[in-house]
Amino acid sequence: MDEIIRVYGASWCPDCRRAKRFLGDQRVSFEWHDIEVDPDGVRIVQQRNNGNNIIPTIVFPDGSHLSEPSNEELAEKMGLERTATMHVYDLIVVGGGPAGLTTSIYAARENLQTLVIDSKGLGGQAGVTERLDNYPGFPDGIGGAELADRIVLQAQRYGVEMLQAVSVTSVTSDREEVDVETATGDHYHARAALVATGSSYRRTGAPGEDDLIGAGIHFCATCDGPFYKGASELVVLGGGNSGLEEGLFLTQFVDRVTIVQRGDRLTANKLLQDKVAMTPEMDVLLNREVVEFKPKDDGSGKLGAIVLKDRESGELEEIHPAGAFVFIGLDPNTGFVKGSVDLDDRELILTDMGLQSSMPGVFAAGDVRSGSTKQLASAVGEGAAAAIGIRMYLEAQDAKPMHMMEAG
Ligand SMILES: Cc1cc2nc3c(=O)[nH]c(=O)nc-3n(C[C@H](O)[C@H](O)[C@H](O)COP(=O)(O)OP(=O)(O)OC[C@H]3O[C@@H](n4cnc5c(N)ncnc54)[C@H](O)[C@@H]3O)c2cc1C
């Protein structure tokens, strides 16, 4: 029997993209069959759906299938734990990326009953990163999925309870207890909580992008720029401060860096624009929109070409850089705490020196925190620092006389 999940669909189908992203987020391997180019795929889809073309149709290793499943149906089929065993914990960690998991390991080792809740798969962005070359302790680098699995195993070893595919929708506190509500309608209570929900890099949304992330499309020049040492050209999408800064950084690895900007002018500050203008290795293309990312046709699954549309003339042009770096903005995952904790002007969580937010008992660490560096090693470090801040907070709470606890 087949050991792999097969997803049958088409590139234009949003539900297919959602299902593929869900499986990818859970770090589940699957085989993609585009029925528009695979006649055998059409036959299988029709066979499974009484002659109808229903996509996505997902065939599982046990021979069963789901047609157009919701994420909840997929989670159930894959046996993901979505309800916790208890309702009250010492600590609830929202976000099972490197920061949150590190805090959970520290807390559980100190015998705090700890629950981690993640809206996608455990491991966060690190878990879906192809290769990590700058994380200390791994001289040959390490695959992101392998590192994530190791951290999860370590958390399991200390008895951390973990839920996946469960979004947290609100975190509130009445000074004595934190209430965490999930999209499944459950409420969990804890003496303290950590928000470590990271930030999402904005994507262009162009066809082909999802499949080529980590395989030619990147969001971090410090992390992935060195992979391109000696290549002839890289493209940076985005003409704001980050795009230009990272583009200048990338010139040390390649002969040419081309900034592609959707609008008719760069939006970075004047200083950066002047620097770019004075750097002979840099080019700027204005008024260009990405229409498609194409894979190489050698079957390697790597980025082969970017199709750009000139927004003035409507003309299409194909460029063939070794890689593309996307810097079109960052969305902190803080929507569910907006209005309840203080955020900075970029909507990142403001904390004090002990990483406590403006809400008593609620801490923040990693990429979601204002002032964070968006690096794995820092996220892990902040996770450890938050655990120590939480311990001190809980000790202070325990030391409070009863009348003060009641007064809040
Ligand atoms: C493609 C890519 C490559 C990278 N390469 C490197 C590298 O080479 N070296 C390096 O140092 N750094 C790298 N980084 C950055 C590094 O991965 C991050 O700095 C690090 O993962 C941040 O950890 P975190 O725990 O703060 O957040 P994340 O890893 O983002 O984890 C946050 C978690 O919170 C969950 N979540 C979000 N919202 C909710 C919610 N409402 N309810 C429940 N859970 C929620 C998410 O599903 C996610 O699992 C890379 C990032 C990307 C995207």
Side-chain angles (χ1 to χ4, degrees), residues 255-367:
D255 302 335
R256 182 141 301 280
V257 173
T258 305
I259 305 276
V260 174
Q261 165 75 325
R262 202 169 174 274
D264 59 5
R265 59 189 180 85
L266 296 174
T267 52
N269 66 46
K270 169 104 179 40
L271 202 77
L272 277 168
Q273 292 198 35
D274 290 347
K275 247 185 177 173
V276 166
M278 285 183 316
T279 307
E281 295 86 10
M282 291 196 79
D283 282 331
V284 175
L285 289 176
L286 298 175
N287 269 321
R288 301 298 203 289
E289 184 178 326
V290 178
V291 177
E292 189 183 354
F293 292 98
K294 289 183 171 175
K296 281 190 173 149
D297 48 21
D298 61 3
S300 64
K302 297 228 161 89
L303 175 70
I306 305 176
V307 184
L308 298 177
K309 182 170 142 192
D310 185 320
R311 296 178 74 225
E312 276 178 342
S313 67
E315 264 174 45
L316 295 181
E317 172 194 5
E318 235 181 58
I319 54 172
H320 302 90
F325 286 77
V326 185
F327 298 111
I328 54 175
L330 196 69
D331 293 319
N333 300 319
T334 49
F336 66 102
V337 287
K338 208 170 171 179
S340 39
V341 304
D342 290 349
L343 305 177
D344 70 8
D345 55 356
R346 293 167 62 205
E347 311 221 317
L348 293 153
I349 299 177
L350 288 162
T351 56
D352 63 15
M353 295 285 282
L355 304 192
Q356 188 164 199
S357 75
S358 59
M359 199 193 292
V362 177
F363 292 71
D367 282 12

Side-chain angles (χ1 to χ4, degrees), residues 103-178:
T103 304
S104 78
I105 291 169
Y106 273 64
R109 282 190 75 222
E110 295 183 12
N111 293 322
L112 297 180
Q113 292 274 10
T114 305
L115 172 68
V116 174
I117 306 176
D118 199 288
S119 55
K120 296 179 179 170
L122 296 166
Q125 288 176 28
V128 293
T129 299
E130 184 68 13
R131 196 136 198 96
L132 294 153
D133 255 357
N134 58 356
Y135 190 66
F138 298 93
D140 301 322
I142 181 166
E146 187 189 344
L147 181 69
D149 287 345
R150 285 173 178 237
I151 303 176
V152 170
L153 272 177
Q154 199 171 352
Q156 277 167 345
R157 183 176 144 213
Y158 291 108
V160 175
E161 194 174 335
M162 290 174 262
L163 302 181
Q164 304 186 60
V166 178
S167 284
V168 166
T169 50
S170 82
V171 176
T172 49
S173 153
D174 66 0
R175 284 183 174 264
E176 276 176 40
E177 202 175 62
V178 181

Side-chain angles (χ1 to χ4, degrees), residues 19 47 62 67 172 183 191-192 203 205 218 235 247 263 281 295 302 311 320 352 366 399:
Q47 208 178 50
D62 63 3
S67 300
T172 49
R191 297 165 67 206
R203 301 179 180 192
H218 307 274
V235 155
E281 295 86 10
K302 297 228 161 89
R311 296 178 74 225
H320 302 90
D352 63 15

